[in-house]
Amino acid sequence: MVLPLLTALTFAPFAWAYSTVREDAAYVQERVAPALGDLAAARVSLEIADQEAGDSLRAGRAVELSGLSERYRTRTTRATQRLNQVARSGALSTAERQDLDVVAGLVADYGTWTAWAQANAADRALREAALAYARSILCSAREEPGGIGEGGGTGEGGGTREARGTGEDGGTREGRGTREGRGTKGHRGCRPATGSDATAVVDRVTALERALQERFAGRAAAGAGVLAAFVVSGVAFLLLAHGSWRTQVFLHRRFRLYVSVPLLVAAVPLLALPVLAADAVLVQGAQGDAAATARALSHRTSPVIESAAENDPFRTPGRYVIAALEDAVDRELADGRLAFLDGAAVWVLPAGLLSAALTGGTLHAYRREYVRLTRTGAAP
C-alpha cells in the first residue's frame, strides 16, 4: 500500500504550503497594502495641512473672519478618514491599534490648537505660540532648511548625514535624516524621530509604516517551512509517478489489462499539482515585486509630490504619487496569480485524500483477485 501513502505525502504538505502562500497573498493585498497606502496618505495630508495652516495664519486678523483655508480643512479631514480606514483594515496588532488610537487623539489635539491659533490671530504672540505647540504635536523635529524639497534628505538606499534644525521652541535639535525631505517651498517638512523621542504624530505614523513594511516583507518571503513542504511534496510526486507507472505495467502483464481505469481516475488530481505549483511561484514573485513598490509608499512619498499632483490634476501622475503607488501595488498583486485558481487551495487536500482512498481501494481489489487466481493456478 505504498502508493496511497505516497499520494497522501504528495498532497498533504503541498496543500498546506500552497494555502499558506495564497493566504499570505490575500492578507497582503486586502489588509497590509491598503493600510500602508492609508498611512502614507494620512502622513502627507497632515504635513500639507500644516503648511496651509501656517500660510493662512500669516494673514493675521483677516483669518479670524475668513477661517483657515479650504485646503487645510480638506487635508485634515482626509487624514482622519485615512486613519479610520487603517483602524478598520485588520492589518494592525492590538498594540499597534492602541498606538493608532493615540495618533487619532493627537491629530484631534493638533486641530484644536490650530483652531485656537486662528481664534487669536490678532495677537501675534498667542497665535505663534499656539501654532508652535500644534506643530510640536505633529512633528518632533523638522528638516534642516537646506534639505527642503523632494530628495532634500537622505534618499532610500543612500547614506545618512547629520541634520540640525531649529525646534518650535527656538532651540536646536540634532538627528540623522532617514528619508527624503518632505517640505514644500518655504516650509520645513517633518523629520521623524525614533526611540524615546518618537512621540509626535509623524513619528508614530512612521513607526506603524515601518512595522507594516516588515510584515509585508515577511509575508512576501517564502518561509523555510513552505519551501520544505514543497520539496517533500515534489519528491513524493516523482516517486508516486514512477510507482504508478510500474503498477500499470504490472497489471498489464499479470491481468492482461491495457490500462487500469480506476488508477487513472485516481491520478487525475495529480495533474493539477504542476499548475498549482506554477501559480505559487507567480504569487511569490508578485509579492516580491509589490513589496518593492510598497516600500516607496513610506520612503518616496512627500508633500512636494502630492501638492504638485493636486495642483495639476490633468497631468499624468508621477511615479511616486500615493494614488499611483497604491494602484501599482494592487495591480502587481492581482496580476501576479492565476485568477481562475482563486479558492482552489481548500480543495487540494480533500482531492488528495480521495485519490489516496481510491488508489488504496483499487489496489486492494486487485490484490484479492490476484490471490484468488494464484490459488486456482490461473495466474501466469
Side-chain angles (χ1 to χ4, degrees), residues 286-372:
Q287 288 186 91
D289 295 339
T293 304
R295 280 194 293 272
L297 283 168
S298 300
H299 299 288
R300 294 295 190 183
T301 52
S302 72
V304 177
I305 299 174
E306 292 301 309
S307 295
E310 185 179 30
N311 293 334
D312 191 1
F314 298 105
R315 188 180 64 178
T316 301
R319 180 181 178 185
Y320 296 123
V321 173
I322 291 175
L325 288 171
E326 288 179 307
D327 290 342
V329 171
D330 188 63
R331 183 172 58 254
E332 287 168 349
L333 291 173
D335 294 346
R337 73 181 196 276
L338 301 178
F340 67 90
L341 292 177
D342 291 349
V346 297
W347 298 103
V348 176
L349 185 57
L353 296 178
L354 181 61
S355 176
L358 181 56
T359 301
T362 301
L363 292 178
H364 181 69
Y366 283 138
R367 180 178 179 277
R368 291 180 59 186
E369 182 66 14
Y370 181 74
V371 170
R372 187 184 66 81

Side-chain angles (χ1 to χ4, degrees), residues 3-4 8 17 29 52 55 65 103 163 165 173-174 177 193 210 217 254 259 266 271 275 296 307 332 336-337 352 373:
L3 291 185
Q29 184 174 12
E52 289 295 313
D55 293 343
L65 299 176
V103 169
R173 301 178 183 269
E174 293 185 357
R210 191 180 303 116
R254 295 291 182 175
V259 68
L271 301 178
V275 180
S307 295
E332 287 168 349
R337 73 181 196 276
L373 293 177

Side-chain angles (χ1 to χ4, degrees), residues 18-26 279 283 337-338 341-342 345:
Y18 181 71
S19 63
T20 299
V21 170
R22 275 294 194 149
E23 287 170 3
D24 286 347
D279 178 60
V283 169
R337 73 181 196 276
L338 301 178
L341 292 177
D342 291 349

Side-chain angles (χ1 to χ4, degrees), residues 67-78:
L68 298 175
S69 68
E70 179 66 25
R71 194 182 187 201
Y72 167 83
R73 293 191 292 270
T74 299
R75 283 292 177 173
T76 51
T77 300
R78 188 176 302 176

Side-chain angles (χ1 to χ4, degrees), residues 179-200:
R179 70 166 75 221
E180 293 179 353
R182 300 199 179 278
T184 54
K185 187 174 182 181
H187 179 71
R188 297 171 60 200
C190 296
R191 176 163 51 84
T194 58
S196 59
D197 294 330
T199 57

Side-chain angles (χ1 to χ4, degrees), residues 98-360:
Q98 293 173 350
D99 224 12
L100 186 67
D101 291 340
V102 173
V103 169
L106 290 174
V107 170
D109 289 344
Y110 171 81
T112 299
W113 281 98
T114 304
W116 197 81
Q118 176 202 343
N120 294 274
D123 188 321
R124 181 176 179 180
L126 288 178
R127 181 187 73 217
E128 292 184 353
L131 181 60
Y133 187 75
R135 286 179 163 175
S136 71
I137 294 173
L138 184 66
C139 304
S140 59
R142 296 277 174 173
E143 296 287 352
E144 59 176 322
I148 297 173
E150 182 184 359
T154 301
E156 182 183 4
T160 59
R161 58 193 175 96
E162 295 288 346
R164 181 184 296 270
T166 304
E168 301 296 344
D169 56 359
T172 59
R173 301 178 183 269
E174 293 185 357
R176 289 187 179 271
T178 55
R179 70 166 75 221
E180 293 179 353
R182 300 199 179 278
T184 54
K185 187 174 182 181
H187 179 71
R188 297 171 60 200
C190 296
R191 176 163 51 84
T194 58
S196 59
D197 294 330
T199 57
V201 171
V202 171
D203 302 335
R204 294 176 183 272
V205 170
T206 302
L208 290 174
E209 288 181 278
R210 191 180 303 116
L212 288 181
Q213 290 287 356
E214 293 174 358
R215 196 163 302 148
F216 197 134
R219 294 279 185 147
V226 170
L227 293 176
F230 277 128
V231 169
V232 170
S233 178
V235 172
F237 178 86
L238 295 177
L239 293 175
L240 178 59
H242 179 72
S244 297
W245 171 255
R246 292 290 299 271
T247 300
Q248 290 283 6
V249 171
F250 174 82
L251 294 175
H252 175 70
R253 290 176 179 175
R254 295 291 182 175
F255 290 89
R256 301 293 188 263
L257 294 175
Y258 182 73
V259 68
S260 172
V261 175
L263 289 182
L264 280 182
V265 173
V268 169
L270 291 172
L271 301 178
L273 296 188
V275 180
L276 295 173
D279 178 60
V281 172
L282 291 175
V283 169
Q284 283 294 144
Q287 288 186 91
D289 295 339
T293 304
R295 280 194 293 272
L297 283 168
S298 300
H299 299 288
R300 294 295 190 183
T301 52
S302 72
V304 177
I305 299 174
E306 292 301 309
S307 295
E310 185 179 30
N311 293 334
D312 191 1
F314 298 105
R315 188 180 64 178
T316 301
R319 180 181 178 185
Y320 296 123
V321 173
I322 291 175
L325 288 171
E326 288 179 307
D327 290 342
V329 171
D330 188 63
R331 183 172 58 254
E332 287 168 349
L333 291 173
D335 294 346
R337 73 181 196 276
L338 301 178
F340 67 90
L341 292 177
D342 291 349
V346 297
W347 298 103
V348 176
L349 185 57
L353 296 178
L354 181 61
S355 176
L358 181 56
T359 301

